[in-house]
Each structure stands twice: as structure tokens, then as C-alpha cells.
Amino acid sequence: MKPTKASEKDVLRMVPETVPTLSVSSPWDFWLKFRNRSVDAEFEASISEERKTLDGLGFKISIAAAVLKILSLGSMDTTSRALCLGWILLSGVILPWIHLRELTDRWDSYSRKRGRIHHFYKLAVPLGGAVVLLSQDPLSSWDSGRIWSSIVSNTPISALFFATFFFRLPFKQHAVLQGIGALLSWMWVFNFDHACDANPEIADSTNRIGWLTEGAILTTAVFGIPVKRPTLQPNDFPCWLVGLFFHFWLGWFVPCVCAYYWESNSKTTFVKERPKGMPVVDFRTFKNGRGILMAFVSVVGTQAMWFTLKGLVNADLNCRAIKL
């Protein structure tokens, strides 16, 4: 008997219904929420042990860092020292110790209020750190030889950055809370600016940091082609410009990029291991596209933040010139 050519419909009937179709679209939305909302609870349950480990490690590091900070406190007046010491003990030792004990002994109770606990570390701790820094004498708070390390370690930037690595929340909550925390705590820049006005060496060191930062940003703006920079002039980069840029860049923008990467990576692994009810994704294409997008957003976002602040500097200089 002569074989007949099977029609397209006959071929489709022979394909088992359990074989999913290939999809290159992301299984979650912009905020990394699964399009199938019922899957989110399953995902959170699958990473509960990872969350528990990171939270515990974060509390332990917080306690150790607070003890080192207390031992390295510089000279300051009695009131400022008492305020600083009290805040470090409360936010860096006492509360982390209480939360660590509860996490270890009563995980179910801790997990129910985990979100509120992390709200405290993302909002109250940076705000408290800014208030404590504002209460101190500007000249005793900054060292002209260690401006960069002082900006990173003595300001709320360290608390904002630290909370991102260990106290992880769903990306949407993280981005909103991190932004609010950065907005609540940026006023430490006033202390820094007063120090620059009082000490020309601090202003000069900060000016050089701004010059190097703009050089790096201009280089990325032209895709790696070296840019000839003009001679560095005094007050080209005011202290408030450098302070605000690194506050929002290291305290909000970079943590959001990291949080997005970590969560998308975790969900990619989760989807791979949970084929039931999930679309089949070409993860090689998806991963490459995600990497390109994140690199593009990182470069463009950094440039936008820097040049927006530079625009404020130029506007201020133009207003002063008009008044003169």
C-alpha cells in the first residue's frame, strides 16, 4: 500500500499535549512578579531557607560592625558621643541580637513580621544615621586624607548598601523602600558641605573625586574612547554634588540593579526546576538579553544622575553670575 503524506493536523495530533511550546517572553512582569500570581507564594516558600540564612548572617555582621564602630569612635563632644553611642548600640547591637534570637528559635513568628523588621533597617536606620551625623561637628567628622572611605563608611550609604545584600525583599518593595530610605537620609550632605567650607583640604580632595568620577562617566558615554579632560579647577565639583551623587548612586541605584539581578536569577532557577504550569523559556536568549539590558540601564542611569546634578551646579553658577 502506498504511504500517504500526513497532513499538518495529523502531525499536531501525534504531539503529546504535555509538551509545552517554546516561549522567549519573560514569565514575570517589570516588577519581577510572576504573571501567574499563584506562583509567587510557591517561589517565596522555595527560598525561605536562603532568606533565613541571609537574615541571620546580616544580623551577625551588623553586631560585629557596630562593635568595631564603637571602638573606633573619634573625638567629639559629650552630647554627640552619647547620641552616637546610643544609636549604634540600639540599631547595631540590641535590635539585631533580639531579631537573631527570634530568627533562630521562633522562625514562624519571625517570618510573619519579617517585612516590618526589614522596613526598619531600610528606613529608620539610614534616617537615624543621618541625624546622628548632623549632630556632630563637621570638622571632626571628616578626614581630608580619607574622604572616599569616610563618605562610604560614616554616612547612611553604608546602611542602605548593607541592607540590600542581606535583608532582601521582593524587588518592588525593595525599590520603593530603598528610594524612600535614600530620600529620608540625604541630609547628611549638609554636614559634609559645612566641612568643605571650613577646610579647603577636604574641598580639594572632594573636588578631585568629582573630577575622576566625571572622567569615568564621560569615558563610558563614548563607549570606551578616552576623553580629553580639561584642567581641574577649584570648585568645579562642589561637595554637595559629590555627596548627593554617591548617596543616591550607592544608596539606591546600584542596590536596585543588584536586587533586580539577584531576584531574576533566583526566579530563573525556580522556573527551570518547576516545569509544571510554566512556559518553556529560551533561557540563553533571555539571559543574554537581561545582561545587555542591565548593562545599558546601569550606564545610562549613572550618566543621567550625574549630569542632572551637574546641571543644578551650572544653574546655580549662572544665577550667581546674573546677580553679580
Side-chain angles (χ1 to χ4, degrees), residues 68-86:
L68 291 176
K69 182 68 175 178
I70 291 172
L71 295 175
S72 64
L73 284 178
S75 60
M76 59 182 70
D77 61 82
T78 305
T79 303
S80 297
R81 176 175 286 275
L83 181 61
C84 184
L85 185 60

Side-chain angles (χ1 to χ4, degrees), residues 19-34:
V19 177
T21 58
L22 184 65
S23 172
V24 295
S25 63
S26 171
W28 47 78
D29 59 19
F30 174 80
W31 294 108
L32 296 180
K33 283 283 188 181
F34 278 108

Side-chain angles (χ1 to χ4, degrees), residues 46-288:
S46 71
I47 60 171
S48 61
E49 283 300 319
E50 178 185 349
R51 294 279 198 255
K52 182 178 180 180
T53 301
L54 287 173
D55 283 12
L57 186 59
F59 292 136
K60 292 175 184 176
I61 294 177
S62 176
I63 294 171
V67 172
L68 291 176
K69 182 68 175 178
I70 291 172
L71 295 175
S72 64
L73 284 178
S75 60
M76 59 182 70
D77 61 82
T78 305
T79 303
S80 297
R81 176 175 286 275
L83 181 61
C84 184
L85 185 60
W87 177 248
I88 293 175
L89 284 173
L90 176 64
S91 63
V93 178
I94 298 174
L95 290 178
W97 174 256
I98 293 173
H99 295 148
L100 180 61
R101 291 295 301 272
E102 186 175 18
L103 179 150
T104 305
D105 300 334
R106 300 184 301 277
W107 167 249
D108 291 339
S109 173
Y110 173 85
S111 62
R112 285 194 295 270
K113 54 186 178 184
R114 180 175 176 272
R116 295 193 299 272
I117 292 173
H118 288 193
H119 290 184
F120 172 80
Y121 287 100
K122 290 179 181 291
L123 299 178
V125 171
L127 176 60
V131 172
V132 168
L133 186 56
L134 283 174
S135 70
Q136 299 175 12
D137 175 46
L139 288 179
S140 64
S141 304
W142 306 95
D143 182 354
S144 60
R146 300 187 306 108
I147 289 299
W148 169 246
S149 61
S150 297
I151 290 176
V152 174
S153 62
N154 293 349
T155 68
I157 293 175
S158 57
L160 290 166
F161 203 75
F162 176 82
T164 301
F165 279 85
F166 297 101
F167 305 139
R168 299 185 185 180
L169 293 170
F171 176 71
K172 185 175 182 179
Q173 293 183 39
H174 164 84
V176 173
L177 288 173
Q178 198 81 9
I180 295 174
L183 288 172
L184 288 175
S185 58
W186 69 270
M187 71 281 294
W188 67 267
V189 174
F190 290 120
N191 181 286
F192 184 44
D193 203 44
H194 291 328
C196 290
D197 292 338
N199 189 337
E201 291 184 1
I202 296 177
D204 182 65
S205 298
T206 306
N207 195 38
R208 187 166 298 278
I209 291 174
W211 186 79
L212 292 172
T213 301
E214 182 165 284
I217 291 174
L218 286 175
T219 300
T220 59
V222 291
F223 305 102
I225 301 175
V227 178
K228 184 178 180 180
R229 296 294 312 280
T231 304
L232 178 64
Q233 299 296 328
N235 301 321
D236 276 350
F237 305 96
C239 289
W240 66 263
L241 162 67
V242 176
L244 277 180
F245 172 75
F246 282 110
H247 177 77
F248 285 102
W249 189 64
L250 289 176
W252 179 73
F253 182 76
V254 172
C256 283
V257 172
C258 292
Y260 189 94
Y261 174 79
W262 290 328
E263 186 167 335
S264 62
N265 191 55
S266 295
K267 289 191 170 179
T268 298
T269 303
F270 173 74
V271 171
K272 284 182 177 180
E273 296 175 351
R274 184 194 183 278
K276 183 180 179 181
M278 302 296 294
V280 178
V281 180
D282 184 353
F283 282 104
R284 185 174 59 181
T285 303
F286 177 66
K287 184 177 181 180
N288 292 339

